[in-house]
Amino acid sequence: QVQLVESGGGLVQAGGSLRLSCAASGRTFSSYAMGWFRQAPGKEREFVTSISWSGSSTYYADSVKDRFTISRDNAKNTVYLQMNSLKPEDTAVYYCAAGTIASMTFKGDYWGQGTQVTVSS
């Protein structure tokens, strides 16, 4: 069982940056791949990025590539999402998840409650 708590969301102007954190409980954090998803109002939840358990492999949605960076610190049981050059269309609730990666596809088994990111134009 893994419990996830996101933080770091907020209101930022377009072009600005935010860093989200996701703190995990449990001693098995380092055995999980981690991912970030987002859900905008009226839209389905969509994949943003994922990272392997070791941190050696990362995957990004085309919409955030070269702007967002995922990283993890297994000693701190935390995964991060650095978001730069934010756009109004990045506005959403951001969720972190713990799960697995197979054929470069992330599947979440445990989910956080989400943190709101709002980008003003």
PDB file of all heavy atoms in Angstrom, residues 47-61:
ATOM      1  N   PHE A  47      -2.350  11.562 -19.373  1.00  0.00           N
ATOM      2  CA  PHE A  47      -0.974  11.287 -18.973  1.00  0.00           C
ATOM      3  C   PHE A  47      -0.113  12.514 -19.224  1.00  0.00           C
ATOM      4  O   PHE A  47      -0.235  13.177 -20.259  1.00  0.00           O
ATOM      5  CB  PHE A  47      -0.443  10.097 -19.773  1.00  0.00           C
ATOM      6  CG  PHE A  47       1.027   9.875 -19.642  1.00  0.00           C
ATOM      7  CD1 PHE A  47       1.552   9.242 -18.535  1.00  0.00           C
ATOM      8  CD2 PHE A  47       1.888  10.290 -20.643  1.00  0.00           C
ATOM      9  CE1 PHE A  47       2.918   9.031 -18.417  1.00  0.00           C
ATOM     10  CE2 PHE A  47       3.247  10.088 -20.545  1.00  0.00           C
ATOM     11  CZ  PHE A  47       3.770   9.459 -19.433  1.00  0.00           C
ATOM     12  N   VAL A  48       0.771  12.806 -18.265  1.00  0.00           N
ATOM     13  CA  VAL A  48       1.720  13.907 -18.430  1.00  0.00           C
ATOM     14  C   VAL A  48       3.146  13.371 -18.560  1.00  0.00           C
ATOM     15  O   VAL A  48       3.840  13.675 -19.529  1.00  0.00           O
ATOM     16  CB  VAL A  48       1.636  14.885 -17.237  1.00  0.00           C
ATOM     17  CG1 VAL A  48       2.711  15.967 -17.357  1.00  0.00           C
ATOM     18  CG2 VAL A  48       0.242  15.511 -17.153  1.00  0.00           C
ATOM     19  N   THR A  49       3.561  12.568 -17.581  1.00  0.00           N
ATOM     20  CA  THR A  49       4.927  12.076 -17.580  1.00  0.00           C
ATOM     21  C   THR A  49       5.057  10.921 -16.603  1.00  0.00           C
ATOM     22  O   THR A  49       4.230  10.768 -15.697  1.00  0.00           O
ATOM     23  CB  THR A  49       5.903  13.204 -17.195  1.00  0.00           C
ATOM     24  OG1 THR A  49       7.250  12.703 -17.175  1.00  0.00           O
ATOM     25  CG2 THR A  49       5.589  13.767 -15.813  1.00  0.00           C
ATOM     26  N   SER A  50       6.092  10.106 -16.792  1.00  0.00           N
ATOM     27  CA  SER A  50       6.371   9.023 -15.861  1.00  0.00           C
ATOM     28  C   SER A  50       7.867   8.817 -15.746  1.00  0.00           C
ATOM     29  O   SER A  50       8.645   9.257 -16.607  1.00  0.00           O
ATOM     30  CB  SER A  50       5.673   7.723 -16.284  1.00  0.00           C
ATOM     31  OG  SER A  50       6.154   7.289 -17.534  1.00  0.00           O
ATOM     32  N   ILE A  51       8.248   8.114 -14.685  1.00  0.00           N
ATOM     33  CA  ILE A  51       9.660   7.850 -14.418  1.00  0.00           C
ATOM     34  C   ILE A  51       9.784   6.447 -13.844  1.00  0.00           C
ATOM     35  O   ILE A  51       8.957   6.013 -13.035  1.00  0.00           O
ATOM     36  CB  ILE A  51      10.247   8.921 -13.458  1.00  0.00           C
ATOM     37  CG1 ILE A  51      11.750   8.762 -13.300  1.00  0.00           C
ATOM     38  CG2 ILE A  51       9.541   8.893 -12.104  1.00  0.00           C
ATOM     39  CD1 ILE A  51      12.408   9.962 -12.605  1.00  0.00           C
ATOM     40  N   SER A  52      10.797   5.728 -14.271  1.00  0.00           N
ATOM     41  CA  SER A  52      11.009   4.366 -13.788  1.00  0.00           C
ATOM     42  C   SER A  52      11.444   4.379 -12.329  1.00  0.00           C
ATOM     43  O   SER A  52      11.801   5.418 -11.778  1.00  0.00           O
ATOM     44  CB  SER A  52      12.055   3.668 -14.649  1.00  0.00           C
ATOM     45  OG  SER A  52      13.297   4.371 -14.563  1.00  0.00           O
ATOM     46  N   TRP A  53      11.443   3.208 -11.716  1.00  0.00           N
ATOM     47  CA  TRP A  53      11.754   3.130 -10.293  1.00  0.00           C
ATOM     48  C   TRP A  53      13.155   3.643  -9.981  1.00  0.00           C
ATOM     49  O   TRP A  53      13.401   4.241  -8.943  1.00  0.00           O
ATOM     50  CB  TRP A  53      11.613   1.688  -9.786  1.00  0.00           C
ATOM     51  CG  TRP A  53      12.623   0.748 -10.375  1.00  0.00           C
ATOM     52  CD1 TRP A  53      12.511   0.008 -11.513  1.00  0.00           C
ATOM     53  CD2 TRP A  53      13.935   0.461  -9.859  1.00  0.00           C
ATOM     54  NE1 TRP A  53      13.651  -0.707 -11.744  1.00  0.00           N
ATOM     55  CE2 TRP A  53      14.543  -0.466 -10.744  1.00  0.00           C
ATOM     56  CE3 TRP A  53      14.643   0.880  -8.734  1.00  0.00           C
ATOM     57  CZ2 TRP A  53      15.831  -0.965 -10.523  1.00  0.00           C
ATOM     58  CZ3 TRP A  53      15.917   0.386  -8.518  1.00  0.00           C
ATOM     59  CH2 TRP A  53      16.497  -0.517  -9.411  1.00  0.00           C
ATOM     60  N   SER A  54      14.066   3.447 -10.923  1.00  0.00           N
ATOM     61  CA  SER A  54      15.448   3.880 -10.712  1.00  0.00           C
ATOM     62  C   SER A  54      15.675   5.326 -11.129  1.00  0.00           C
ATOM     63  O   SER A  54      16.696   5.921 -10.787  1.00  0.00           O
ATOM     64  CB  SER A  54      16.398   2.984 -11.497  1.00  0.00           C
ATOM     65  OG  SER A  54      16.186   3.173 -12.881  1.00  0.00           O
ATOM     66  N   GLY A  55      14.744   5.868 -11.889  1.00  0.00           N
ATOM     67  CA  GLY A  55      14.925   7.206 -12.431  1.00  0.00           C
ATOM     68  C   GLY A  55      15.662   7.232 -13.750  1.00  0.00           C
ATOM     69  O   GLY A  55      15.879   8.307 -14.311  1.00  0.00           O
ATOM     70  N   SER A  56      16.048   6.076 -14.264  1.00  0.00           N
ATOM     71  CA  SER A  56      16.867   6.033 -15.471  1.00  0.00           C
ATOM     72  C   SER A  56      16.052   6.249 -16.747  1.00  0.00           C
ATOM     73  O   SER A  56      16.610   6.600 -17.782  1.00  0.00           O
ATOM     74  CB  SER A  56      17.600   4.698 -15.569  1.00  0.00           C
ATOM     75  OG  SER A  56      16.675   3.634 -15.629  1.00  0.00           O
ATOM     76  N   SER A  57      14.746   6.037 -16.662  1.00  0.00           N
ATOM     77  CA  SER A  57      13.897   6.207 -17.847  1.00  0.00           C
ATOM     78  C   SER A  57      12.745   7.163 -17.530  1.00  0.00           C
ATOM     79  O   SER A  57      12.115   7.041 -16.473  1.00  0.00           O
ATOM     80  CB  SER A  57      13.304   4.873 -18.296  1.00  0.00           C
ATOM     81  OG  SER A  57      14.324   3.971 -18.689  1.00  0.00           O
ATOM     82  N   THR A  58      12.524   8.087 -18.446  1.00  0.00           N
ATOM     83  CA  THR A  58      11.416   9.027 -18.295  1.00  0.00           C
ATOM     84  C   THR A  58      10.643   9.110 -19.597  1.00  0.00           C
ATOM     85  O   THR A  58      11.201   8.886 -20.688  1.00  0.00           O
ATOM     86  CB  THR A  58      11.909  10.431 -17.909  1.00  0.00           C
ATOM     87  OG1 THR A  58      12.846  10.887 -18.892  1.00  0.00           O
ATOM     88  CG2 THR A  58      12.581  10.434 -16.537  1.00  0.00           C
ATOM     89  N   TYR A  59       9.366   9.425 -19.488  1.00  0.00           N
ATOM     90  CA  TYR A  59       8.488   9.515 -20.649  1.00  0.00           C
ATOM     91  C   TYR A  59       7.606  10.761 -20.479  1.00  0.00           C
ATOM     92  O   TYR A  59       7.206  11.084 -19.364  1.00  0.00           O
ATOM     93  CB  TYR A  59       7.612   8.264 -20.759  1.00  0.00           C
ATOM     94  CG  TYR A  59       8.413   6.987 -20.762  1.00  0.00           C
ATOM     95  CD1 TYR A  59       8.670   6.294 -19.584  1.00  0.00           C
ATOM     96  CD2 TYR A  59       8.937   6.482 -21.944  1.00  0.00           C
ATOM     97  CE1 TYR A  59       9.429   5.140 -19.576  1.00  0.00           C
ATOM     98  CE2 TYR A  59       9.694   5.325 -21.954  1.00  0.00           C
ATOM     99  CZ  TYR A  59       9.942   4.658 -20.762  1.00  0.00           C
ATOM    100  OH  TYR A  59      10.693   3.511 -20.770  1.00  0.00           O
ATOM    101  N   TYR A  60       7.329  11.412 -21.589  1.00  0.00           N
ATOM    102  CA  TYR A  60       6.568  12.652 -21.548  1.00  0.00           C
ATOM    103  C   TYR A  60       5.503  12.671 -22.628  1.00  0.00           C
ATOM    104  O   TYR A  60       5.711  12.170 -23.735  1.00  0.00           O
ATOM    105  CB  TYR A  60       7.482  13.856 -21.759  1.00  0.00           C
ATOM    106  CG  TYR A  60       8.496  14.068 -20.662  1.00  0.00           C
ATOM    107  CD1 TYR A  60       9.765  13.495 -20.741  1.00  0.00           C
ATOM    108  CD2 TYR A  60       8.183  14.827 -19.537  1.00  0.00           C
ATOM    109  CE1 TYR A  60      10.685  13.672 -19.723  1.00  0.00           C
ATOM    110  CE2 TYR A  60       9.100  15.010 -18.514  1.00  0.00           C
ATOM    111  CZ  TYR A  60      10.345  14.432 -18.620  1.00  0.00           C
ATOM    112  OH  TYR A  60      11.260  14.613 -17.597  1.00  0.00           O
ATOM    113  N   ALA A  61       4.388  13.308 -22.305  1.00  0.00           N
ATOM    114  CA  ALA A  61       3.407  13.610 -23.332  1.00  0.00           C
ATOM    115  C   ALA A  61       3.986  14.686 -24.245  1.00  0.00           C
ATOM    116  O   ALA A  61       4.762  15.540 -23.804  1.00  0.00           O
ATOM    117  CB  ALA A  61       2.115  14.112 -22.695  1.00  0.00           C
TER     118      ALA A  61
END
